[in-house]
Amino acid sequence: MNASEGPEPTAPQAPTIAVLPGDGIGPEIAAAAVELLGAIGRFELPEYAIGGDSIDRFGSPLTDQVLEACRSADAVLLVAVGGPKWDSTKADAPRPESGLLGLRKGLGLFANLRPVKPSPSLLDASPLRREKITGTDLLVVRELTGGIYFGRKLRSEDSALDECVYTVAEVDRIARTAFDAARRRVDPTSGAAPRVTSVDKANVLETSRLWRQVVSDLAAAEYPDIELSHLLVDNAAMQLVSEPSQFDVILTENMFGDILSDEAAMITGSIGMLPSASLGAERPGMFEPVHGSAPDIAGQGIANPLATFASVAMLLRDGLGLAEPATAVEAAIETVLAAGLRSADIGGSARTEQITKAVIAAL
Ligand code: IPM
Ligand code: MG
């Protein structure tokens, strides 16, 4: 740009969304998301390396520069990290996943929200019977920066240790997030109580006993309207497939939330459908599909972009406060599914580009 032109003084600042494509299907899905965002409005969309891609280029899964760039963005959109190329059982091998974990910790993203609501057009795409999943509309609120993921790790010749620690403050803030989310999900005209199921393993784990106590105390003291129940994680795993529609908000710790959200994804037919938002006390939030990097189909142009598009909708609403375009993206996804367009993971043969064009046309 010619320096003397200067910036346009009247143009409103376009929000900056740091785009982190990552590995496997990451780049092709990120390109689709950039296309979608371009059709929605004006955004700055700088791209940065993360995960295995960053290991290959810079020797580390998350560089300080990229963390800083994300910190100063208005929101972060990440697709997926990891792949067989970087899989190793060696203790000190650089791991793509630690880039993602570093970003979550570095941005203080303690709350991971994973909504699970099967599209009416996809009720027969789930391996679960239609009548089982009909009416399912749940939200997994997963604690994201504590627990066994971030405890001390030790490795010796003949043993290994992963420490699981939770503090009262960590449990308290994620419980508040879940309770507040449950209140927001209730239709005020219905008279129904907001419901939260807290999932733990309090019959075995000390961290779970602390968890249960903090969650119960907070509900009694500040959220008397919440209908709170507690469920052991093994039972929760079973209930999720036997009667998923009973759940409203599921509040749980980091590792249980990781496992249960993959399980819950299958209610929607495919893990290729599930979005997520990772939020902290302030901006930026990070938004990513729940699915991984799918190295088996990478580069073929057949990956399902809908989980990322739904994550873009969450980014617009929860990350930038732009509710209107968020709703438009969600409606466009429904329109495209209702028209019968399906990628391979949900029983069709539509390609990424075709689905992207269709969603943009339906906006
Ligand atoms: C997820 C993923 C990550 C996690 C991996 C890639 C580190 O499975 O976001 O659910 O375990 O949190
Ligand atoms: Mg996971």
Side-chain angles (χ1 to χ4, degrees):
M1 189 174 74
N2 182 338
S4 63
E5 283 172 11
E8 272 181 54
T10 52
Q13 189 78 33
T16 299
I17 303 172
V19 178
L20 309 181
D23 308 318
I25 58 171
E28 58 208 92
I29 296 292
V34 165
E35 215 177 310
L36 174 67
L37 282 162
I40 293 169
R42 266 183 67 231
F43 301 98
E44 296 291 335
L45 301 168
E47 286 191 21
Y48 302 102
I50 183 88
D53 175 39
S54 179
I55 293 175
D56 290 352
R57 282 156 71 186
F58 309 110
S60 145
L62 173 65
T63 64
D64 293 344
Q65 289 87 330
V66 171
L67 178 57
E68 262 327 299
C70 290
R71 242 187 219 129
S72 57
D74 296 300
V76 180
L77 181 68
L78 180 145
V79 184
V81 296
K85 181 174 176 194
W86 306 278
D87 277 347
S88 164
T89 51
K90 288 213 199 78
D92 49 5
R95 303 193 54 86
E97 291 78 5
S98 62
L100 176 57
L101 300 181
L103 212 47
R104 288 173 178 169
K105 196 70 165 180
L107 298 177
L109 306 173
F110 63 85
N112 185 221
L113 311 186
R114 298 183 163 183
V116 179
K117 187 176 177 183
S119 155
S121 314
L122 289 183
L123 286 175
D124 293 313
S126 171
L128 299 175
R129 282 201 310 278
R130 168 185 272 270
E131 61 270 25
K132 280 279 172 213
I133 59 177
T134 301
T136 300
D137 179 359
L138 63 87
L139 174 71
V140 178
V141 177
R142 169 189 176 192
E143 200 291 326
L144 202 60
T145 50
I148 199 167
Y149 272 59
F150 290 94
R152 199 161 45 113
K153 295 180 189 302
L154 294 175
R155 175 82 171 263
S156 70
E157 200 58 47
D158 60 357
S159 73
L161 168 115
D162 290 287
E163 202 168 54
C164 183
V165 181
Y166 267 110
T167 65
V168 168
E170 284 172 323
V171 180
D172 182 86
R173 68 182 177 182
I174 192 69
R176 282 176 197 278
T177 304
F179 293 164
D180 290 337
R183 279 181 176 170
R184 278 196 306 272
R185 284 164 58 86
V186 168
D187 172 2
T189 61
S190 73
R195 288 185 301 122
V196 174
T197 307
S198 176
V199 172
D200 61 38
K201 188 70 184 173
N203 53 348
V204 177
L205 301 178
E206 207 51 57
T207 43
S208 282
R209 289 189 275 271
L210 176 85
W211 180 280
R212 198 175 273 221
Q213 187 194 325
V214 173
V215 170
S216 301
D217 289 353
L218 178 65
E222 296 182 41
Y223 294 84
D225 54 318
I226 300 273
E227 209 175 274
L228 173 68
S229 56
H230 302 275
L231 206 55
L232 296 174
V233 63
D234 46 351
N235 189 1
M238 183 185 69
Q239 304 275 340
L240 257 179
V241 286
S242 65
E243 207 197 323
S245 60
Q246 70 178 289
F247 294 106
D248 186 353
V249 170
I250 295 178
L251 160 64
T252 193
E253 61 99 74
N254 204 342
M255 172 111 111
F256 298 158
D258 177 46
I259 299 167
L260 292 180
S261 57
D262 267 36
E263 187 191 3
M266 288 318 291
I267 300 168
T268 66
S270 165
I271 196 163
M273 296 297 301
L274 226 61
S276 83
S278 302
L279 306 172
E282 52 205 278
R283 283 189 188 181
M286 180 158 78
F287 301 82
E288 45 172 323
V290 171
H291 65 69
S293 58
D296 52 326
I297 58 163
Q300 299 177 31
I302 59 168
N304 185 350
L306 294 181
T308 298
F309 291 175
S311 302
V312 165
M314 292 187 89
L315 183 155
L316 294 167
R317 184 184 292 112
D318 301 334
L320 301 177
L322 302 172
E324 220 172 286
T327 306
V329 170
E330 286 161 353
I333 293 173
E334 276 312 317
T335 304
V336 164
L337 288 172
L341 208 59
R342 310 248 189 291
S343 47
D345 56 311
I346 44 177
S349 60
R351 301 178 58 81
T352 312
E353 184 58 24
Q354 231 179 317
I355 298 173
T356 306
K357 290 273 183 293
V359 169
I360 290 172
L363 271 180

